[in-house]
Amino acid sequence: MKALIKNGIGFYPPAYEVKSIHILIEDGIITKLSEDEIKVAADVKVFNVGGNLVIPGLLDCHTHLSQSFGRGIYDNLHLTQWLNKMIYHFNLTENEVYLATQLGCIEAIKSGTTTIAEMTTAEPYDEICIQAIADSGLRADVCSALGDFQEGENPPPELNADQVLEEMRNTYNKWQGACDGRITVRVSPVGLPACTEELMRGSRDLANELGVGIHTHCSEGEAETANAYERFGCSEVEALERFGVLGSDCQLVHCIWLTEHDKQLIADYDCSVVTCPSTNTKVTDGMPPMPDLFKLDVNIAIGCDGEASSGTYDMLQEARMVSLLGKVSSMDAVMFTAEQTFEMITKNGLQSIGFDTRVGELKPGYKADITVMEYPSPHLIDERRLMSNLIYSATGGDVLSVFVEGEPLMWKRELTKIDEKVVVAKTLEAMRKATHLMP
Ligand SMILES: [Zn+2]
């Protein structure tokens, strides 16, 4: 099947110059990109984007979409208190999990995201969560937040290491390559504070056997990081190295309480780091040392995390925060330029996930995962400074249309796969009844 996205303007790397852009798509793949108009046969589906800004679809590299139901419930809590509340009280019904996840998908699509790395937090309904994502049309690399060790005052885990690994294998068997390859799976011990050495070593063995990567929280909270010292006599990153977890297929989420040695280990093992600035600031995780990791050439991607901690699935807002926090925490005004930050939400995201499929850039041979932003607008206006406008001034609210593999998930602000009005109305009704969620 052929499609044409015509009459846009777009960035042309490496200098990100703004020029006209026309994109020919065949079977979901970009086959031609041109500044000049592309002539096509009458049977080709044409999307005229009318001079608006065309960018690669954004990659959100860490989400817990079902937590969209928890937005605002657990405000004004420090991470340790927040974790206790979440684990004791945040038990959604099957219907709530589906609605909450679709609500998260709507927000992601409407703000220009085309790929998510979802760590489900909906036990025992993780399957429902993945199904809701599959139904949305988003591209997703999915895993479940599973542990086998009692963390702090949390309830004891229900599964041992073998049972957790079996669940991960079952998820892989059911979902790897589903929806014509749009859904992939990775191995995800939730994080060392809630995992045993046995589970961490088993996760690496399973990831190697299945040929997939590992996704795990790492060094997020000060107290949680200190607990790792008590249990293992070393930092979380050092323990992960000892258990064989670190590698270029490893996404470490947060990475705040790092020693200098930890930073060097992350660089030496070529791990990717996913930073989640709204969560890190809102639940007072701490200041992520991304500038130090950047100077060590670590691949940095960005995630919105769950809305119960971050309050948003808008990647442009997260990108803006990463750049601003990077500048002020390093007191270096050239840290995290608009162009460098844009790469964190596009090509760096792909590198962190390690898909075989190519997304995150507009190039022949890449999947046609594409976002269209309203242009010109009061805050997206100067062609010579458009990348700066995009990172520092635009938000997800400027997104008009979103494509995955050349198929619109949203066209002119109308969703095509999800009935937004129905999902919002049903979710509001469910939220009003959900007294079981209140702390
Ligand atoms: Zn998380």
Side-chain angles (χ1 to χ4, degrees), residues 262-280:
D262 291 341
K263 294 171 193 168
Q264 192 60 55
L265 280 175
I266 290 169
D268 290 347
Y269 279 88
D270 205 14
C271 302
S272 287
V273 167
V274 182
T275 187
C276 308
S278 288
T279 286
N280 295 166

Side-chain angles (χ1 to χ4, degrees), residues 62 64 119 217 253-254 305-306:
H62 183 66
H64 308 290
M119 181 188 256
H217 294 105
V253 182
H254 296 303
D305 211 348

Side-chain angles (χ1 to χ4, degrees), residues 54-224:
V54 177
I55 62 172
L58 308 179
L59 286 91
D60 185 339
C61 287
H62 183 66
T63 58
H64 308 290
L65 289 182
S66 63
Q67 288 183 14
S68 67
F69 220 88
R71 185 161 37 176
I73 296 179
Y74 307 121
D75 280 357
N76 309 318
L77 294 172
H78 173 67
L79 173 67
T80 307
Q81 302 161 305
W82 182 92
L83 282 170
N84 286 338
K85 295 277 187 194
M86 277 299 289
I87 289 167
Y88 278 118
H89 297 284
F90 199 69
N91 296 312
L92 302 182
T93 65
E94 190 172 346
N95 180 50
E96 288 165 351
V97 166
Y98 190 85
L99 288 171
T101 306
Q102 285 243 301
L103 202 66
C105 292
I106 290 172
E107 195 177 338
I109 294 166
K110 289 185 77 173
S111 53
T113 293
T114 51
T115 294
I116 55 167
E118 163 71 11
M119 181 188 256
T120 62
T121 48
E123 274 287 308
Y125 303 120
D126 283 346
E127 288 281 323
I128 301 293
C129 180
I130 299 172
Q131 186 63 55
I133 295 167
D135 294 344
S136 76
L138 281 167
R139 187 180 303 287
D141 192 41
V142 300
C143 59
S144 296
L146 295 172
D148 67 336
F149 182 79
Q150 183 172 11
E151 180 183 2
E153 295 171 14
N154 295 341
E158 290 173 8
L159 305 177
N160 63 32
D162 284 342
Q163 291 166 322
V164 167
L165 294 167
E166 197 53 36
E167 280 226 7
M168 291 176 183
R169 184 186 294 279
N170 291 342
T171 304
Y172 175 89
N173 288 339
K174 175 152 188 198
W175 289 101
Q176 176 71 4
C179 306
D180 292 326
R182 197 161 43 76
I183 307 291
T184 52
V185 175
R186 71 177 40 213
V187 167
S188 57
V190 61
L192 194 60
C195 296
T196 61
E197 174 177 346
E198 185 187 0
L199 177 55
M200 282 297 180
R201 289 187 184 278
S203 295
R204 168 45 75 195
D205 290 342
L206 184 63
N208 288 352
E209 180 197 328
L210 301 178
V212 301
I214 293 178
H215 186 96
T216 188
H217 294 105
C218 179
S219 303
E220 179 177 6
E222 187 175 21
E224 291 70 21

Side-chain angles (χ1 to χ4, degrees), residues 11-16 21 23 25 28-33 54-59 114-115 139 299 339 342-351 355 357-371 403 405:
F11 296 113
Y12 283 78
Y16 292 109
I21 197 166
I23 302 171
I25 300 157
I29 308 280
I30 297 171
T31 51
K32 187 173 181 184
L33 200 90
V54 177
I55 62 172
L58 308 179
L59 286 91
T114 51
T115 294
R139 187 180 303 287
N299 182 51
E339 290 78 6
F342 179 70
E343 290 180 356
M344 292 180 194
I345 57 176
T346 52
K347 62 199 265 189
N348 292 16
L350 175 70
Q351 187 181 331
F355 279 143
T357 35
R358 294 186 168 272
V359 293
E361 292 183 72
L362 301 182
K363 276 184 180 174
Y366 275 57
K367 295 277 189 188
D369 291 8
I370 292 168
T371 289
F403 298 82
E405 297 189 15

